[in-house]
Amino acid sequence: MNDCSTPQLPPLIKNGSVTAIQFQPGLGRKCGECLVKKYDAIVIGAGHNGLCNAAYLAKAGLDVLVVEKNAYIGGATVSRELHTDWKYSNCSYVCSLLRPEITRDLELPRHGLQVQPYGGGVTFCKNGDYFGNYDDHERQQREIARHSKRDANAYDRYSADVMKQTRLIRPFLLRTPPDPTSLKPRDIKELLHLAKAFGEMGEEGLADTLRFWTMSIGDYLDEFFETDVLKAHLAGSGIIGTALGVYSPGTAYVLLHHYMGDVDGTVGAWGFARGGMGAVADALAASFKSFGGEIKCDAEVDQIIVKNGNAKGVALANGDEIYADIVVSNLDPKRTFLKIMDEGDLPADVVKKAKNFKIRGSSGKVNIALDGMPTFSGIEKNSILLKGDMHFSDSLERMERAYDDWKDETWSKDPYLDMLIPSQIDPTMAPPGKHMMTVFVQYAPPYIDGREWTNDERDAFGKCVIDQIANYSPDFKDLILHAEVRTPREIENEVGLTEGNIFMGELTFDQLLFNRPFPGYSQYRGPVKGMYMCSSGTHPGGGVMAAPGANAAREILQDLRRPAIVPGAYADD
């Protein structure tokens, strides 16, 4: 579990009476003869974006408090010991999208963060064969050619096409999107910068890009490949965390979203944070505290306090009020505007846009403690293929049928699984000789037939996942010591992700760039003065990236006329 030991909060007024007194003249609001400390900024939610945002504000010299509803920090970027001596990355589970500029600037390695790259990967077939994914280019070509020589010839063209799109989008991850309706010089300049980047692709390249961003991952892969299992292996990145199927328009961009990260400068690579994904949050928290920041856990926010059109602080669920002239929400747009803000404090169009914001849950998670390394049919236990992502859906048709179950408001009976055993790379996740398995599952609806999940249905969902794995691993069930099963219900209740949506909003074209979270509010400023947004519901979207938090900090510091300390466009491309 993450350490949430923090300095004691300054005294507060609770339920109209003084619960503690701190005599620090000039620090805060006078209440009778007492002074209650007032912070420069309060950040709601100690997820990775909230911690990143708070770290930059504190680095700039602001007095910053982060409030977190749970007893631990991290949000969905967390490591928890739910079975003795095993660490579970029980929400997010792999690392790639975390911006290297932020890692360097906040000195996250000095604060304990280590990301260990992994390679390999495999998709098992029903007929006993498999498709292996290798880091070595020549070996990869031979593996593809084993299934189709035509596909082997097409693979380099596919890789080059995806990389072209990746290089287009990466420089904009740490930039604030322009407002296309604004005539402000800054917005016009940013629009010209955006137009220049797209224009450099040429007329044909621009047409290909617009088509790519709006087409389905299934149609895109069909243009390159003929082998079912190869297409299925690649298509998973287009649907993970998304309430769309492989033939739904827009899923090609979701694939790009998973390809635009890097580990140690290798674009598209993925890795494990040593000690689980909570190590990312721990490092961000340590960096934040090194600049004098404070974290208060078990502090759920009931409402953002607004007076005369200005944010003034937060009211906690326990009745406490904490004051600051800047309030930053790291919650998703629906939670921010529909749950912790009074509708009377908001413009009617914001309430309507928040209600219409697409944030549909589609995923579940199963975390498993194993007594040893499972055996998989046809592959040696020490194979490099087992050190990466493992899948069991060998055709786009099976993946689309899994989505059909979601549309019918039930969990997929033949689900798409993204499964890894990180303890092969990171021995801190399990005792010696034992292993920890993490399984991401598509699809699991937020509601079953329009109602809440029951515990029996959750258990049946977990059994469905375990049964699919066991079909390809004869000793798997015998090795299970403990399993944690998480449907969208558990994810929302624990982490606060509405409907369990891991991206805090669909990554569709109508919710990207200056449309994220919705038009007019894409530059991290809320509709109330002094209120900002920094969650994955803002540009550039979900994943353990920290870019939304950094970008929001840049805008806040600009409004305060503070020095520009937040890194900008990607410098390595």
Side-chain angles (χ1 to χ4, degrees):
M1 183 178 293
N2 287 306
D3 178 18
C4 197
S5 58
T6 60
Q8 290 295 311
L9 269 178
L12 303 171
I13 303 298
K14 182 176 181 180
N15 298 326
S17 61
V18 180
T19 57
I21 302 175
Q22 177 176 334
F23 296 98
Q24 296 187 27
L27 275 183
R29 181 176 66 85
K30 198 165 185 177
C31 181
E33 296 182 356
C34 314
L35 284 173
V36 177
K37 180 173 179 180
K38 179 179 178 181
Y39 291 88
D40 294 324
I42 297 170
V43 178
I44 304 170
H48 70 281
N49 277 310
L51 293 170
C52 177
N53 180 267
Y56 276 112
L57 297 182
K59 185 178 180 181
L62 274 64
D63 189 7
V64 185
L65 171 69
V66 175
V67 290
E68 166 57 44
K69 79 180 186 75
N70 287 319
Y72 52 87
I73 64 169
T77 312
V78 66
S79 308
R80 302 192 65 196
E81 187 175 312
L82 301 179
H83 183 64
T84 304
D85 295 331
W86 267 261
K87 288 182 182 177
Y88 288 172
S89 290
N90 67 335
C91 286
S92 62
Y93 54 105
V94 285
C95 192
S96 172
L97 300 176
L98 183 64
R99 304 314 309 145
E101 304 93 329
I102 295 170
T103 299
R104 291 192 295 264
D105 200 48
L106 295 180
E107 298 183 297
L108 300 187
R110 184 171 72 85
H111 292 293
L113 179 63
Q114 299 178 50
V115 179
Q116 301 167 283
Y118 67 83
V122 61
T123 293
F124 294 92
C125 301
K126 277 189 171 181
N127 65 5
D129 199 359
Y130 63 85
F131 170 77
N133 186 45
Y134 298 93
D135 284 339
D136 181 83
H137 181 264
E138 294 300 321
R139 197 172 184 185
Q140 182 69 74
Q141 284 290 106
R142 292 196 300 271
E143 175 66 6
I144 299 174
R146 184 171 71 84
H147 294 272
S148 166
K149 290 183 179 179
R150 177 185 178 275
D151 287 354
N153 291 330
Y155 187 76
D156 283 346
R157 288 189 289 110
Y158 162 80
S159 299
D161 199 60
V162 172
M163 186 56 65
K164 178 177 68 175
Q165 300 299 330
T166 298
R167 290 192 178 279
L168 171 67
I169 198 66
R170 275 163 63 92
F172 293 98
L173 299 179
L174 280 173
R175 297 181 75 100
T176 297
D179 181 351
T181 67
S182 170
L183 295 178
K184 294 179 181 178
R186 177 190 176 188
D187 288 311
I188 293 173
K189 181 180 178 181
E190 193 64 24
L191 275 171
L192 290 173
H193 180 81
L194 188 66
K196 181 175 182 290
F198 278 83
E200 288 175 350
M201 303 189 76
E203 185 175 332
E204 184 178 349
L206 180 57
D208 288 342
T209 295
L210 293 176
R211 185 166 178 268
F212 176 87
W213 282 34
T214 55
M215 72 189 307
S216 75
I217 185 58
D219 288 332
Y220 181 67
L221 293 171
D222 283 341
E223 293 188 351
F224 289 94
F225 307 114
E226 62 184 6
T227 308
D228 284 342
V229 66
L230 173 57
K231 289 187 286 186
H233 185 85
L234 297 172
S237 294
I239 60 168
I240 282 182
T242 304
L244 297 170
V246 290
Y247 284 108
S248 301
T251 47
Y253 174 80
V254 180
L255 173 132
L256 176 63
H257 195 82
H258 287 96
Y259 276 27
M260 61 192 181
D262 66 272
V263 176
D264 295 336
T266 302
V267 178
W270 288 82
F272 297 116
R274 185 175 176 85
M277 288 300 288
V280 176
D282 289 342
L284 285 165
S287 179
F288 169 53
K289 290 180 180 181
S290 74
F291 300 123
E294 297 179 30
I295 301 174
K296 180 176 176 61
C297 290
D298 293 312
E300 182 173 3
V301 170
D302 183 64
Q303 189 171 5
I304 293 176
I305 300 170
V306 178
K307 294 182 179 179
N308 301 319
N310 296 289
K312 290 298 180 183
V314 297
L316 303 184
N318 67 2
D320 290 347
E321 293 185 357
I322 312 175
Y323 301 98
D325 287 333
I326 294 171
V327 177
V328 189
S329 175
N330 187 35
L331 310 187
D332 66 63
K334 279 188 180 289
R335 261 180 153 66
T336 296
F337 295 117
L338 304 180
K339 290 190 178 296
I340 64 168
M341 294 195 75
D342 191 311
E343 188 172 323
D345 293 326
L346 298 170
D349 71 310
V350 169
V351 175
K352 181 179 180 181
K353 288 173 180 176
K355 288 179 178 178
N356 291 334
F357 186 68
K358 291 187 301 183
I359 187 167
R360 302 171 297 179
S362 64
S363 313
K365 189 88 189 296
V366 181
N367 301 292
I368 303 171
L370 296 171
D371 199 28
M373 182 67 188
T375 301
F376 290 93
S377 302
I379 297 182
E380 296 290 333
K381 278 191 176 183
N382 61 353
S383 171
I384 185 66
L385 300 179
L386 301 183
K387 296 189 187 317
D389 303 80
M390 290 175 266
H391 317 292
F392 307 97
S393 299
D394 58 0
S395 71
L396 295 181
E397 180 183 356
R398 285 179 65 189
M399 297 170 78
E400 188 68 15
R401 289 188 183 278
Y403 178 52
D404 289 341
D405 285 338
W406 180 89
K407 289 184 289 185
D408 289 337
E409 295 188 306
T410 186
W411 64 90
S412 301
K413 303 308 185 285
D414 181 22
Y416 170 80
L417 307 183
D418 184 37
M419 184 181 83
L420 296 108
I421 305 178
S423 48
Q424 296 178 97
I425 308 292
D426 177 8
T428 69
M429 302 295 288
K434 315 296 183 182
H435 285 284
M436 180 267 173
M437 175 184 285
T438 180
V439 189
F440 190 88
V441 188
Q442 292 284 121
Y443 296 83
Y447 304 101
I448 301 293
D449 296 326
R451 55 167 174 75
E452 292 284 346
W453 285 73
T454 66
N455 290 342
D456 287 344
E457 288 164 339
R458 177 201 60 202
D459 294 343
F461 166 71
K463 181 179 183 300
C464 182
V465 172
I466 289 171
D467 285 346
Q468 188 187 86
I469 300 169
N471 287 337
Y472 302 86
S473 176
D475 58 357
F476 170 64
K477 287 186 177 181
D478 294 334
L479 294 171
I480 296 175
L481 299 174
H482 176 266
E484 180 206 22
V485 180
R486 299 165 68 79
T487 71
R489 179 188 66 170
E490 283 75 30
I491 295 172
E492 177 169 8
N493 290 344
E494 180 185 314
V495 183
L497 300 177
T498 298
E499 294 196 7
N501 185 287
I502 65 169
F503 294 138
M504 291 192 171
E506 297 286 355
L507 295 174
T508 49
F509 199 54
D510 59 322
Q511 293 189 171
L512 295 176
L513 290 171
F514 39 72
N515 288 328
R516 193 170 186 88
F518 21 80
Y521 297 94
S522 65
Q523 297 182 334
Y524 310 99
R525 295 170 183 83
V528 172
K529 186 177 180 182
M531 182 261 166
Y532 297 82
M533 300 169 282
C534 75
S535 77
S536 293
T538 60
H539 172 77
V544 183
M545 192 183 303
N551 290 343
R554 184 190 306 112
E555 298 305 307
I556 295 168
L557 295 176
Q558 177 180 290
D559 290 350
L560 295 175
R561 302 185 186 280
R562 296 284 184 121
I565 64 168
V566 180
Y570 196 82
D572 294 340
D573 278 344

